Amino acid sequence: MVRGRSTFLAAAVMALLSFAPSALAAGGFSDVPPGFWARQQIKWAANNGWITPSSPTAFKPHHSVSRLNASRVLARIAFKVKGVPEDPDPFAQAVAAAWIPEGAGPTGTITQLEFDRGLVRILGLAHAATAL
């Protein structure tokens, strides 16, 4: 499952994709320090339903990420980087494009390795990853 630092990584990826302002009125989550480099992106991702926080005031990223949410991130990256049109069903798009395996369906969890492989495929870095 994608946990801890991986959830912060997902929020960081969102930082590269959008600079939308946060709508969290309280100024963020109590467990994300004010100086943390991805604080604004974490707030944006939570406000837009990409990552579900533990509560309105605590992010607590130690929970799993669904294949649907991972697919949304991958589809957005594919659109921004490669111009691949975003499908209304990002999970079906991600599976059809072989970015991720179907696994247990859109509500199932995704492993860090599966997400990383999808990202490598989208970015066209499979050869470089193999060489490394």
Side-chain angles (χ1 to χ4, degrees):
M1 290 182 234
V2 178
R3 298 185 182 274
R5 284 183 267 160
S6 301
T7 304
F8 281 106
L9 176 61
V13 168
M14 291 308 304
L16 298 172
L17 303 175
S18 175
F19 298 100
S22 174
L24 284 176
F29 300 109
S30 60
D31 57 336
V32 179
F36 184 67
W37 63 273
R39 183 177 173 90
Q40 293 299 319
Q41 292 73 30
I42 289 170
K43 291 183 337 183
W44 183 92
N47 283 335
N48 289 281
W50 290 76
I51 298 173
T52 305
S54 173
S55 75
T57 59
F59 183 53
K60 294 184 184 176
H62 302 288
H63 61 278
S64 57
V65 173
S66 74
R67 289 179 177 278
L68 176 59
N69 281 344
S71 297
R72 287 179 180 148
V73 171
L74 292 172
R76 178 64 60 92
I77 292 169
F79 174 72
K80 294 284 187 175
V81 174
K82 299 280 188 174
V84 175
E86 292 181 72
D87 192 285
D89 184 350
F91 175 73
Q93 180 180 21
V95 171
W99 299 335
I100 64 168
E102 186 172 8
T107 59
T109 57
I110 189 167
T111 66
Q112 181 67 55
L113 181 58
E114 290 171 327
F115 181 83
D116 291 348
R117 283 181 177 157
L119 188 58
V120 166
R121 286 178 182 129
I122 290 169
L123 297 175
L125 298 174
H127 181 70
T130 301
L132 292 174

